[in-house]
mmCIF file of all heavy atoms in Angstrom:
data_model
loop_
_atom_site.group_PDB
_atom_site.id
_atom_site.type_symbol
_atom_site.label_atom_id
_atom_site.label_comp_id
_atom_site.label_asym_id
_atom_site.label_seq_id
_atom_site.Cartn_x
_atom_site.Cartn_y
_atom_site.Cartn_z
ATOM 1 N N ARG A 420 -48.592 -42.736 20.971
ATOM 2 C CA ARG A 420 -49.117 -44.091 21.076
ATOM 3 C C ARG A 420 -48.121 -45.175 21.540
ATOM 4 O O ARG A 420 -48.543 -46.194 22.056
ATOM 5 C CB ARG A 420 -49.799 -44.537 19.793
ATOM 6 C CG ARG A 420 -51.055 -43.664 19.395
ATOM 7 C CD ARG A 420 -51.583 -44.003 18.066
ATOM 8 N NE ARG A 420 -50.603 -43.905 16.991
ATOM 9 C CZ ARG A 420 -50.685 -44.403 15.798
ATOM 10 N NH1 ARG A 420 -51.785 -45.098 15.463
ATOM 11 N NH2 ARG A 420 -49.702 -44.115 14.905
ATOM 12 N N VAL A 421 -46.818 -44.917 21.269
ATOM 13 C CA VAL A 421 -45.789 -45.978 21.613
ATOM 14 C C VAL A 421 -45.404 -45.896 23.060
ATOM 15 O O VAL A 421 -45.039 -46.864 23.638
ATOM 16 C CB VAL A 421 -44.512 -45.652 20.712
ATOM 17 C CG1 VAL A 421 -43.459 -46.646 21.055
ATOM 18 C CG2 VAL A 421 -44.952 -45.733 19.246
ATOM 19 N N TYR A 422 -45.690 -44.736 23.754
ATOM 20 C CA TYR A 422 -45.383 -44.645 25.181
ATOM 21 C C TYR A 422 -46.464 -45.375 25.976
ATOM 22 O O TYR A 422 -47.650 -45.142 25.782
ATOM 23 C CB TYR A 422 -45.415 -43.135 25.666
ATOM 24 C CG TYR A 422 -45.090 -42.969 27.029
ATOM 25 C CD1 TYR A 422 -43.884 -43.159 27.671
ATOM 26 C CD2 TYR A 422 -46.085 -42.625 27.937
ATOM 27 C CE1 TYR A 422 -43.677 -43.067 28.985
ATOM 28 C CE2 TYR A 422 -45.952 -42.384 29.356
ATOM 29 C CZ TYR A 422 -44.681 -42.678 29.817
ATOM 30 O OH TYR A 422 -44.435 -42.547 31.163
ATOM 31 N N ASP A 423 -46.022 -46.314 26.811
ATOM 32 C CA ASP A 423 -46.987 -47.057 27.674
ATOM 33 C C ASP A 423 -47.995 -47.882 26.819
ATOM 34 O O ASP A 423 -49.112 -47.940 27.310
ATOM 35 C CB ASP A 423 -47.589 -46.161 28.622
ATOM 36 C CG ASP A 423 -48.140 -46.999 29.908
ATOM 37 O OD1 ASP A 423 -47.619 -48.034 30.137
ATOM 38 O OD2 ASP A 423 -49.096 -46.478 30.552
ATOM 39 N N ALA A 424 -47.555 -48.298 25.650
ATOM 40 C CA ALA A 424 -48.522 -48.945 24.739
ATOM 41 C C ALA A 424 -48.598 -50.407 24.965
ATOM 42 O O ALA A 424 -47.643 -51.059 25.262
ATOM 43 C CB ALA A 424 -48.050 -48.632 23.256
ATOM 44 N N GLY A 425 -49.707 -50.940 24.695
ATOM 45 C CA GLY A 425 -49.968 -52.384 24.666
ATOM 46 C C GLY A 425 -49.935 -52.900 23.280
ATOM 47 O O GLY A 425 -49.693 -52.064 22.303
ATOM 48 N N LEU A 426 -50.165 -54.130 23.101
ATOM 49 C CA LEU A 426 -50.014 -54.758 21.739
ATOM 50 C C LEU A 426 -50.969 -54.117 20.682
ATOM 51 O O LEU A 426 -50.459 -53.881 19.603
ATOM 52 C CB LEU A 426 -50.332 -56.252 21.867
ATOM 53 C CG LEU A 426 -50.283 -56.975 20.520
ATOM 54 C CD1 LEU A 426 -48.892 -56.928 19.919
ATOM 55 C CD2 LEU A 426 -50.563 -58.471 20.818
ATOM 56 N N SER A 427 -52.263 -53.886 20.972
ATOM 57 C CA SER A 427 -53.173 -53.368 19.984
ATOM 58 C C SER A 427 -52.638 -51.977 19.410
ATOM 59 O O SER A 427 -52.727 -51.732 18.305
ATOM 60 C CB SER A 427 -54.614 -53.427 20.453
ATOM 61 O OG SER A 427 -54.693 -52.589 21.559
ATOM 62 N N ALA A 428 -52.225 -51.131 20.378
ATOM 63 C CA ALA A 428 -51.719 -49.815 20.038
ATOM 64 C C ALA A 428 -50.521 -49.913 19.137
ATOM 65 O O ALA A 428 -50.365 -49.202 18.124
ATOM 66 C CB ALA A 428 -51.550 -48.954 21.259
ATOM 67 N N LEU A 429 -49.636 -50.777 19.482
ATOM 68 C CA LEU A 429 -48.410 -51.001 18.749
ATOM 69 C C LEU A 429 -48.699 -51.601 17.377
ATOM 70 O O LEU A 429 -48.045 -51.125 16.445
ATOM 71 C CB LEU A 429 -47.326 -51.811 19.547
ATOM 72 C CG LEU A 429 -46.729 -51.179 20.762
ATOM 73 C CD1 LEU A 429 -46.093 -52.071 21.608
ATOM 74 C CD2 LEU A 429 -45.919 -49.954 20.347
ATOM 75 N N LEU A 430 -49.637 -52.502 17.258
ATOM 76 C CA LEU A 430 -49.922 -52.992 15.963
ATOM 77 C C LEU A 430 -50.538 -51.901 15.074
ATOM 78 O O LEU A 430 -50.258 -51.832 13.925
ATOM 79 C CB LEU A 430 -50.948 -54.164 16.125
ATOM 80 C CG LEU A 430 -50.351 -55.547 16.465
ATOM 81 C CD1 LEU A 430 -51.506 -56.538 16.781
ATOM 82 C CD2 LEU A 430 -49.416 -56.066 15.420
ATOM 83 N N ALA A 431 -51.325 -50.981 15.692
ATOM 84 C CA ALA A 431 -51.873 -49.892 14.877
ATOM 85 C C ALA A 431 -50.764 -48.937 14.482
ATOM 86 O O ALA A 431 -50.843 -48.498 13.284
ATOM 87 C CB ALA A 431 -52.891 -49.116 15.817
ATOM 88 N N VAL A 432 -49.819 -48.740 15.237
ATOM 89 C CA VAL A 432 -48.628 -47.889 14.841
ATOM 90 C C VAL A 432 -47.909 -48.489 13.701
ATOM 91 O O VAL A 432 -47.611 -47.830 12.682
ATOM 92 C CB VAL A 432 -47.697 -47.709 16.119
ATOM 93 C CG1 VAL A 432 -46.313 -47.147 15.585
ATOM 94 C CG2 VAL A 432 -48.363 -46.741 17.196
ATOM 95 N N VAL A 433 -47.579 -49.813 13.775
ATOM 96 C CA VAL A 433 -46.891 -50.498 12.646
ATOM 97 C C VAL A 433 -47.692 -50.463 11.402
ATOM 98 O O VAL A 433 -47.243 -50.156 10.286
ATOM 99 C CB VAL A 433 -46.506 -51.869 13.059
ATOM 100 C CG1 VAL A 433 -45.934 -52.688 11.869
ATOM 101 C CG2 VAL A 433 -45.468 -51.865 14.206
ATOM 102 N N ARG A 434 -49.060 -50.720 11.561
ATOM 103 C CA ARG A 434 -49.940 -50.848 10.306
ATOM 104 C C ARG A 434 -50.041 -49.514 9.748
ATOM 105 O O ARG A 434 -50.354 -49.415 8.473
ATOM 106 C CB ARG A 434 -51.287 -51.356 10.781
ATOM 107 C CG ARG A 434 -51.296 -52.732 11.127
ATOM 108 C CD ARG A 434 -52.632 -53.214 11.653
ATOM 109 N NE ARG A 434 -52.664 -54.622 12.043
ATOM 110 C CZ ARG A 434 -53.311 -55.179 13.031
ATOM 111 N NH1 ARG A 434 -54.107 -54.421 13.785
ATOM 112 N NH2 ARG A 434 -53.255 -56.395 13.415
ATOM 113 N N GLY A 435 -49.862 -48.344 10.449
ATOM 114 C CA GLY A 435 -50.023 -46.950 9.867
ATOM 115 C C GLY A 435 -48.665 -46.520 9.338
ATOM 116 O O GLY A 435 -48.665 -45.321 8.895
ATOM 117 N N ALA A 436 -47.609 -47.303 9.372
ATOM 118 C CA ALA A 436 -46.349 -46.795 8.865
ATOM 119 C C ALA A 436 -46.505 -46.483 7.352
ATOM 120 O O ALA A 436 -47.211 -47.126 6.659
ATOM 121 C CB ALA A 436 -45.237 -47.890 9.044
ATOM 122 N N PRO A 437 -45.671 -45.637 6.845
ATOM 123 C CA PRO A 437 -45.702 -45.193 5.471
ATOM 124 C C PRO A 437 -45.368 -46.445 4.633
ATOM 125 O O PRO A 437 -44.453 -47.222 4.792
ATOM 126 C CB PRO A 437 -44.541 -44.151 5.237
ATOM 127 C CG PRO A 437 -44.314 -43.647 6.679
ATOM 128 C CD PRO A 437 -44.638 -44.753 7.613
ATOM 129 N N PRO A 438 -46.258 -46.630 3.566
ATOM 130 C CA PRO A 438 -46.189 -47.818 2.648
ATOM 131 C C PRO A 438 -44.859 -47.828 1.946
ATOM 132 O O PRO A 438 -44.321 -48.975 1.509
ATOM 133 C CB PRO A 438 -47.292 -47.825 1.771
ATOM 134 C CG PRO A 438 -47.840 -46.365 1.845
ATOM 135 C CD PRO A 438 -47.385 -45.844 3.165
ATOM 136 N N THR A 439 -44.151 -46.709 1.780
ATOM 137 C CA THR A 439 -42.938 -46.603 1.051
ATOM 138 C C THR A 439 -41.748 -47.175 1.874
ATOM 139 O O THR A 439 -40.673 -47.366 1.370
ATOM 140 C CB THR A 439 -42.603 -45.238 0.601
ATOM 141 O OG1 THR A 439 -42.635 -44.250 1.650
ATOM 142 C CG2 THR A 439 -43.550 -44.754 -0.496
ATOM 143 N N SER A 440 -41.966 -47.191 3.177
ATOM 144 C CA SER A 440 -40.851 -47.634 4.125
ATOM 145 C C SER A 440 -40.606 -49.192 3.824
ATOM 146 O O SER A 440 -41.548 -49.930 3.893
ATOM 147 C CB SER A 440 -41.198 -47.356 5.564
ATOM 148 O OG SER A 440 -40.239 -47.869 6.368
ATOM 149 N N ARG A 441 -39.333 -49.617 3.742
ATOM 150 C CA ARG A 441 -38.985 -50.958 3.634
ATOM 151 C C ARG A 441 -38.452 -51.551 4.941
ATOM 152 O O ARG A 441 -38.462 -52.807 5.175
ATOM 153 C CB ARG A 441 -37.983 -51.173 2.559
ATOM 154 C CG ARG A 441 -38.350 -50.672 1.162
ATOM 155 C CD ARG A 441 -39.545 -51.297 0.576
ATOM 156 N NE ARG A 441 -39.385 -52.733 0.283
ATOM 157 C CZ ARG A 441 -40.228 -53.569 0.003
ATOM 158 N NH1 ARG A 441 -41.527 -53.159 -0.068
ATOM 159 N NH2 ARG A 441 -40.020 -54.854 -0.185
ATOM 160 N N ALA A 442 -37.849 -50.576 5.781
ATOM 161 C CA ALA A 442 -37.227 -51.039 7.078
ATOM 162 C C ALA A 442 -37.739 -50.014 8.110
ATOM 163 O O ALA A 442 -37.201 -48.874 8.112
ATOM 164 C CB ALA A 442 -35.685 -51.048 6.950
ATOM 165 N N LEU A 443 -38.460 -50.540 9.003
ATOM 166 C CA LEU A 443 -39.126 -49.631 10.003
ATOM 167 C C LEU A 443 -38.581 -50.039 11.395
ATOM 168 O O LEU A 443 -38.595 -51.210 11.731
ATOM 169 C CB LEU A 443 -40.618 -49.913 10.041
ATOM 170 C CG LEU A 443 -41.380 -49.141 11.135
ATOM 171 C CD1 LEU A 443 -41.378 -47.560 10.945
ATOM 172 C CD2 LEU A 443 -42.895 -49.645 11.193
ATOM 173 N N MET A 444 -38.074 -49.007 12.152
ATOM 174 C CA MET A 444 -37.666 -49.274 13.510
ATOM 175 C C MET A 444 -38.714 -48.619 14.483
ATOM 176 O O MET A 444 -39.019 -47.508 14.273
ATOM 177 C CB MET A 444 -36.245 -48.619 13.819
ATOM 178 C CG MET A 444 -35.895 -48.635 15.252
ATOM 179 S SD MET A 444 -34.258 -47.837 15.561
ATOM 180 C CE MET A 444 -33.203 -49.266 15.353
ATOM 181 N N VAL A 445 -39.089 -49.380 15.418
ATOM 182 C CA VAL A 445 -39.952 -48.826 16.465
ATOM 183 C C VAL A 445 -39.116 -48.824 17.731
ATOM 184 O O VAL A 445 -38.565 -49.826 18.217
ATOM 185 C CB VAL A 445 -41.190 -49.701 16.671
ATOM 186 C CG1 VAL A 445 -42.086 -49.153 17.900
ATOM 187 C CG2 VAL A 445 -42.083 -49.759 15.435
ATOM 188 N N VAL A 446 -39.020 -47.669 18.394
ATOM 189 C CA VAL A 446 -38.238 -47.549 19.708
ATOM 190 C C VAL A 446 -39.328 -47.328 20.878
ATOM 191 O O VAL A 446 -39.946 -46.220 20.789
ATOM 192 C CB VAL A 446 -37.195 -46.478 19.635
ATOM 193 C CG1 VAL A 446 -36.340 -46.330 20.793
ATOM 194 C CG2 VAL A 446 -36.306 -46.528 18.301
ATOM 195 N N GLY A 447 -39.333 -48.124 21.765
ATOM 196 C CA GLY A 447 -40.296 -48.012 22.797
ATOM 197 C C GLY A 447 -39.863 -48.652 24.103
ATOM 198 O O GLY A 447 -38.721 -48.715 24.423
ATOM 199 N N HIS A 448 -40.919 -49.131 24.833
ATOM 200 C CA HIS A 448 -40.785 -49.516 26.222
ATOM 201 C C HIS A 448 -41.300 -51.034 26.319
ATOM 202 O O HIS A 448 -42.052 -51.420 25.586
ATOM 203 C CB HIS A 448 -41.592 -48.574 27.071
ATOM 204 C CG HIS A 448 -41.402 -47.139 26.846
ATOM 205 N ND1 HIS A 448 -40.549 -46.379 27.536
ATOM 206 C CD2 HIS A 448 -41.994 -46.367 25.905
ATOM 207 C CE1 HIS A 448 -40.560 -45.127 27.053
ATOM 208 N NE2 HIS A 448 -41.478 -45.080 26.121
#
């Protein structure tokens, strides 16, 4: 979903991150 993604897809990716994570890195385009 991060490849060639627009804002709505990227927000969904972030919202779906594991709740135990305190520092999340997203590497994309």
Side-chain angles (χ1 to χ4, degrees):
R420 295 176 298 168
V421 179
Y422 178 73
D423 200 25
L426 179 58
S427 61
L429 291 168
L430 283 171
V432 167
V433 171
R434 289 176 184 145
T439 55
S440 174
R441 304 297 297 167
L443 174 68
M444 175 184 267
V445 177
V446 184
H448 313 265

